[in-house]
Amino acid sequence: LNACYTESLADKLLPCTRFLIGCSAAVDDEAAVLFSSAFYQSLAAGRSFEQSFNLAKEHVKLAGYAKEAA
């Protein structure tokens, strides 16, 4: 769910899927694009959901968006 304040929606959808990413706050648009790009590239490279999620967070943090990567 690549949008701000989607944590409550994610909680409702979680019973329907194995993995879901939601956000509890506002996120800078560029940070969201960086996260999504790194996340899906990592999945496509064969990494697990957890590895891809953590790698994407680090990618965002290295780009200077520490708040968004928390």
Side-chain angles (χ1 to χ4, degrees), residues 1 15 17 66:
L1 303 173
T17 185

Side-chain angles (χ1 to χ4, degrees), residues 2-57:
N2 196 4
C4 302
Y5 304 106
T6 56
E7 185 177 33
S8 63
L9 179 58
D11 289 340
K12 291 175 184 162
L13 293 174
L14 193 55
C16 302
T17 185
R18 290 180 53 205
F19 300 105
L20 197 85
I21 299 172
C23 185
S24 62
V27 177
D28 180 88
D29 287 342
E30 186 174 332
V33 170
L34 289 171
F35 177 90
S36 295
S37 175
F39 178 74
Y40 288 111
Q41 285 181 28
S42 182
L43 282 178
R47 292 183 180 89
S48 71
F49 179 90
E50 291 87 358
Q51 290 172 322
S52 298
F53 178 76
N54 291 329
L55 187 137
K57 283 179 39 174

